[in-house]
Amino acid sequence: MLTVSVYYYVMEYYELNVEKMFKIYLTWAYWTAIIAIIQYISFKLNFTPGYDYSFLLNKGNVSVSDNGIRVSSIFLEPSQLGIMLGPAAFVSLLNILRKKNYHYKIYQSVVILIALYLSRSSTGYLGLFFVVLILGLNFGYIFYVIIFFIVGYFAALGLYNTVDEFKVRVDNSTALWLHDDLALENVNSSSFVLYNNAHIAWTNLKEHPLFGTGLGSHPVAYEKYSYTKTIVKVKGIEFNKQDANSMFFRLMSETGLFGLVFVFILIFRCFVGYNGDADDNHWIISGAVWITILLYLVRQGTDFRNGFPFFVWLYYYTKLSS
């Protein structure tokens, strides 16, 4: 309540000027992307202070794989960077495809997209997929959406055949989600965590369908239903016990059908689509913020991390302002 109230007063402070507040976010996102690119270049030059910011943060934020660094900028992990650049990526791709200059010049839009790519975050790439989908639906670019799907498929196929880390993650996820195969090789910190929390949330929903078990109760459900307590006896994989690794799963577990219905009414009733008026920018803000809300539902369970209540208020007041 305190966090939500603080961001409500931010709205009041700016007199509900949603465009001004959104452009403040876009400026911040641009400099965040600049830091991400500096991080990548510093890693290539082996300049440790330029990419390892553990001396500034309370936790190291360097994510290195066999194929190089996955940039995270000022955040603790690449997926958070991918989520928080989602709205900026929406504006950037819109500027490039429609030859607009909404807040960003073309080179700034390119910087945003490069930083998102360098994060090498599947969550960030999912956000890019949402961007293309929303732009396609707004402007009727169904043909281009289909082309994007085809190109994306072959790009993913290329990654699968050339990048071992990507191949292993796909194979593990496929085995878990499609075949319920809990063999040891499929249990890793990325694919298993989401799968495990999905099982916990669904089981808890079946037991308490209407209102769940209350805010903050997912850790209790975790102790009762987690595969790590029964089938998978592997130490060090009990991640995201507090937040379910997904807002959707956490809502399912803690608020039941009541919470899920409330959130989806908010998402769809407050969405502002393109109405043909080139001077009305409400649809840009709405579509961009929609990306963040969707990504939180998919892969972020902490409801106040990185200012999430600000985006929810912004989404709501954009609808009222329109």
Side-chain angles (χ1 to χ4, degrees), residues 156-284:
L157 189 63
L159 286 172
Y160 182 83
N161 291 322
T162 57
V163 180
D164 290 339
E165 181 184 0
F166 184 80
K167 183 178 186 300
V168 169
R169 181 167 296 186
V170 170
D171 290 344
N172 291 346
S173 298
T174 302
L176 283 170
W177 290 96
L178 297 183
H179 307 295
D180 295 320
D181 184 357
L182 289 169
L184 188 60
E185 63 270 15
N186 298 325
V187 179
N188 59 68
S189 61
S190 56
S191 55
F192 174 73
V193 169
L194 193 64
Y195 176 81
N196 187 39
N197 278 291
H199 160 73
I200 296 165
W202 174 244
T203 306
N204 205 33
L205 178 68
K206 289 190 292 184
E207 293 290 327
H208 310 275
L210 291 181
F211 300 105
T213 48
L215 293 175
S217 65
H218 184 74
V220 178
Y222 193 100
E223 293 297 325
K224 291 174 65 177
Y225 306 122
S226 175
Y227 282 129
T228 61
K229 305 297 180 182
T230 55
I231 301 174
V232 181
K233 298 294 184 179
V234 179
K235 293 184 178 179
I237 59 170
E238 293 191 335
F239 297 108
N240 299 95
K241 181 186 297 187
Q242 301 293 329
D243 61 18
N245 198 220
S246 160
M247 187 75 72
F248 179 79
F249 292 148
R250 186 174 179 185
L251 286 167
M252 184 189 298
S253 178
E254 297 185 350
T255 65
L257 295 174
F258 176 81
L260 291 174
V261 170
F262 174 84
V263 167
F264 281 106
I265 288 176
L266 173 72
I267 289 174
F268 291 106
R269 288 283 299 229
C270 292
F271 183 76
V272 180
Y274 181 61
N275 60 6
D277 183 357
D279 295 324
D280 183 5
N281 294 320
H282 288 96
W283 71 273
I284 296 177

Side-chain angles (χ1 to χ4, degrees), residues 283-301:
W283 71 273
I284 296 177
I285 303 170
S286 181
V289 176
W290 206 54
I291 302 297
T292 293
I293 294 175
L294 289 179
L295 291 179
Y296 261 78
L297 284 171
V298 174
R299 285 307 298 268
Q300 183 61 264

Side-chain angles (χ1 to χ4, degrees), residues 18-30:
V18 292
E19 187 154 18
K20 182 175 182 179
M21 288 184 284
F22 183 61
K23 287 186 174 181
I24 291 173
Y25 154 77
L26 289 177
T27 299
W28 167 85
Y30 173 70

Side-chain angles (χ1 to χ4, degrees), residues 6-7 43-44 75 85 97 104 142 152 158 172 245 250 278 307:
V6 166
Y7 285 110
F43 180 80
K44 290 295 184 182
F75 299 100
L85 286 183
L97 294 177
Y104 290 150
I142 303 302
N172 291 346
N245 198 220
R250 186 174 179 185

